[in-house]
Amino acid sequence: MTQECCNTPRWNRENWPIAAAMINFPGVLPDGSLVQEQSVDQWAETLQQVVDAGFTELDPTDSWLRVADLSPSRLREFQYVVKTLGLTIPAISTTRRSSVIDPDHADEYLAYNHRVIETAAAIGAKAVSFGLFGQFTEEQKKRLWFWTADGVKNPDDAATYQKAVTRIRELGKHAAEYGIEVSLEMYEDTYIGTADGAVRFVNDVDVPSVGINADIGNLVRLHKPVEHWSAMIDKIVPYAKYWHVKNYMRIEDPDQGIYLSYPTSLALGIINYRIAVQKAIACGFKSAFLCEHYGGDGLTVCGMNREYLRTILPR
């Protein structure tokens, strides 16, 4: 599958959909109850914070709420809350529910991902984001920053790789039936954990509705050598679809073997998003953005990042 660059922006800086990620809100509450089981009023209380941060779009990230597992009546209730608050949902992101690598849950997650596609169509979302990364390890759960410990790796064998290609192709064809794009999130130690690997994987899937979630923030934060952000962007932007954006400060001293990072805003981090976004749009990028941030008041930082994006998008 080849993709040509062409400058055809779909929106402008005033109306480009920029969603808030719900990773800043836990799916399990302090009393042990689940957001999945909350009342309409409780959902509204949380989403009001998103509105107060200036967002008109959100992504109900499934670490917070699995909208694809809501009953029809509960889904209608959730849609009512979203609409009442003046929000829209451009996309649905999944996290740590790989349909490939988990030996106990891969088939269950494949069925779940199909439900995500159908739910996205039902609520008017135009994209879904899937990943090939696994659940946190016990060591990752102990760390201040989970990316400083090794996570679950995709197996280095041809059969599992082909299984991943086949299953993502299946999901991509299903999504295409609804006019929905599938964006595959770049993440370390997966088949889409490098720019070259992501391009190869998407070309092997060979379904036009399937592209790359160019979330290279997941890579520049690693405490080890990584490819320069600009080189990665040049390779992946022709394939970019729904895009999770976040940034990190990065310090390198290869002679001392030192590689350190910490989260910061889009404008201040190592990735120059002014250049990255302009290159993507020049290659025909016309999907929504999702603002993510780890640490501190992540929702407020996401709001700052939204306003920064507005300044660099086309007039």
Side-chain angles (χ1 to χ4, degrees):
M1 179 177 66
T2 60
Q3 301 194 18
E4 300 295 335
C5 292
C6 58
N7 189 9
T8 56
R10 179 175 169 184
W11 299 291
N12 59 48
R13 63 178 57 177
E14 301 298 329
N15 61 8
W16 205 295
I18 303 174
M22 297 303 289
I23 60 173
N24 303 120
F25 297 93
V28 181
L29 302 171
D31 63 1
S33 62
L34 303 177
V35 170
Q36 200 77 12
E37 300 164 354
Q38 283 189 311
S39 68
V40 169
D41 289 341
Q42 289 171 316
W43 284 340
E45 184 177 352
T46 299
L47 294 182
Q48 183 64 56
Q49 296 179 60
V50 174
V51 174
D52 290 345
F55 282 95
T56 54
E57 293 88 21
L58 84 145
D59 178 333
T61 320
D62 69 0
S63 58
W64 176 67
L65 177 68
R66 300 186 315 278
V67 291
D69 284 344
L70 294 173
S71 68
S73 61
R74 288 280 281 165
L75 181 60
R76 287 193 295 271
E77 289 177 340
F78 180 70
Q79 289 178 272
Y80 171 80
V81 172
V82 169
K83 183 178 180 180
T84 300
L85 291 173
L87 293 164
T88 61
I89 300 175
I92 301 173
S93 292
T94 66
T95 178
R96 305 189 185 280
R97 288 178 172 81
S98 170
S99 61
V100 180
I101 65 169
D102 190 317
D104 298 320
H105 301 287
D107 291 345
E108 171 191 340
Y109 290 158
L110 177 62
Y112 169 75
N113 288 340
H114 278 292
R115 293 198 303 276
V116 169
I117 291 169
E118 292 168 355
T119 302
I123 66 177
K126 299 300 181 183
V128 294
S129 177
F130 297 135
L132 299 178
F133 46 101
Q135 300 292 328
F136 284 129
T137 65
E138 290 304 314
E139 184 60 31
Q140 285 180 307
K141 294 176 183 177
K142 298 176 185 176
R143 300 289 180 96
L144 173 62
W145 304 123
F146 60 84
W147 56 85
T148 62
D150 287 338
V152 178
K153 295 177 170 60
N154 285 184
D156 184 20
D157 69 86
T160 307
Y161 178 87
Q162 189 55 49
K163 179 181 179 181
V165 167
T166 299
R167 290 196 162 190
I168 295 299
R169 182 182 296 137
E170 175 185 328
L171 291 167
K173 289 181 176 179
H174 186 193
E177 295 173 4
Y178 294 101
I180 290 173
E181 65 182 31
V182 172
S183 188
L184 301 177
E185 183 174 358
M186 296 183 70
Y187 199 92
E188 74 268 16
D189 299 323
T190 71
Y191 300 133
I192 44 180
T194 65
D196 290 328
V199 170
R200 175 197 172 197
F201 189 87
V202 167
N203 277 305
D204 286 346
V205 170
D206 196 21
V207 175
S209 61
V210 177
I212 297 172
N213 178 343
D215 190 357
I216 60 172
N218 288 338
L219 305 181
V220 302
R221 70 189 178 193
L222 300 177
H223 288 194
K224 63 182 181 181
V226 295
E227 186 175 16
H228 193 281
W229 69 266
S230 183
M232 288 192 281
I233 285 294
D234 286 343
K235 293 173 183 177
I236 61 181
V237 289
Y239 305 86
K241 294 191 184 295
Y242 182 51
W243 191 350
H244 295 181
V245 291
K246 55 181 175 284
N247 215 345
Y248 294 82
M249 293 298 290
R250 182 173 173 87
I251 299 173
E252 295 187 5
D253 185 347
D255 292 340
Q256 301 297 321
I258 295 173
Y259 302 91
L260 301 172
S261 70
Y262 63 87
T264 189
S265 68
L266 290 190
L268 298 181
I270 188 69
I271 303 165
N272 186 334
Y273 274 96
R274 180 179 298 275
I275 292 175
V277 169
Q278 289 173 350
K279 285 184 175 182
I281 291 173
C283 278
F285 177 76
K286 48 188 178 181
S287 303
F289 293 96
L290 174 70
C291 291
E292 294 184 315
H293 183 81
Y294 289 101
D297 183 353
L299 179 61
T300 293
V301 177
C302 286
M304 295 164 56
N305 290 341
R306 180 197 65 242
E307 294 310 300
Y308 165 73
L309 283 174
R310 296 281 182 215
T311 70
I312 63 177
L313 288 167
R315 290 184 180 275

